[in-house]
Amino acid sequence: VKSYRHSIEMHTEEREQVLDITERVQEVCARSGIADGFALVCSQHTSSAVYISDNDPALTEDLRRVLAQIVPEGTVYAHDLADPKGNGHAHIRATLVGLSCSVPVTNGALELGVYQTIYYAEFDGQRTKTVLIKVIGE
Ligand code: ZN
């Protein structure tokens, strides 16, 4: 079993923003030389998430609206008493969405469903962050 590791840098203009990273993950997958296995795509932070969903901007907005309803900004979170960034809501939103996803790799390419897109969800951005991609297989 071989493994290939590569980090990609993320920088969002908005504090909260969702980016399609499918192509960037595919490039790493191709570079890995691994034909059959899986790719683990993992946020290296606790205020950003990685998830797979439908490639529909309206659905992305729906997710953001639902997260804002169940984890509102402006409520006092215990974490905010210790972290001057006031990003308690960002940590909780990232935890709910999930920090990583894994995708099958077949014939050297990501084997995603027709409508599946890999997204990076930033909840406390405007600074450089990293997503670690690890491709494991043969
Ligand atoms: Zn914090």
Side-chain angles (χ1 to χ4, degrees):
V1 175
K2 292 187 290 184
S3 87
Y4 179 83
R5 177 191 183 283
H6 186 77
S7 291
I8 58 175
E9 283 196 353
M10 308 301 308
H11 190 88
T12 56
E13 288 167 16
E14 307 292 328
R15 187 178 186 202
E16 189 172 308
Q17 197 171 343
V18 175
L19 301 172
D20 177 351
I21 59 169
T22 310
E23 284 302 313
R24 296 180 74 181
V25 178
Q26 180 57 60
E27 283 168 20
V28 173
C29 183
R31 221 179 306 146
S32 75
I34 290 170
D36 192 65
F38 69 93
L40 176 68
V41 187
C42 197
S43 167
Q44 297 286 84
H45 305 269
T46 57
S47 56
S48 61
V50 173
Y51 70 100
I52 294 173
S53 190
D54 198 300
N55 185 12
D56 172 17
L59 188 60
T60 302
E61 285 310 306
D62 286 335
L63 177 63
R64 291 180 63 169
R65 184 174 44 80
V66 168
L67 287 171
Q69 282 169 358
I70 59 177
V71 189
E73 193 174 352
T75 302
V76 176
Y77 296 94
H79 176 75
D80 295 341
L81 302 174
D83 186 338
K85 290 195 293 292
N87 60 1
H89 69 286
H91 292 296
I92 295 170
R93 289 178 191 180
T95 301
L96 291 178
V97 174
L99 301 184
S100 69
C101 72
S102 54
V103 182
V105 172
T106 305
N107 297 325
L110 298 175
E111 189 171 1
L112 288 163
V114 178
Y115 299 109
Q116 288 186 325
T117 300
I118 306 171
Y119 288 105
Y120 173 78
E122 179 59 76
F123 297 109
D124 187 19
Q126 297 170 316
R127 54 199 164 106
T128 302
K129 294 194 176 180
T130 57
V131 170
L132 175 63
I133 300 162
K134 197 146 187 184
V135 189
I136 294 171
E138 293 180 322

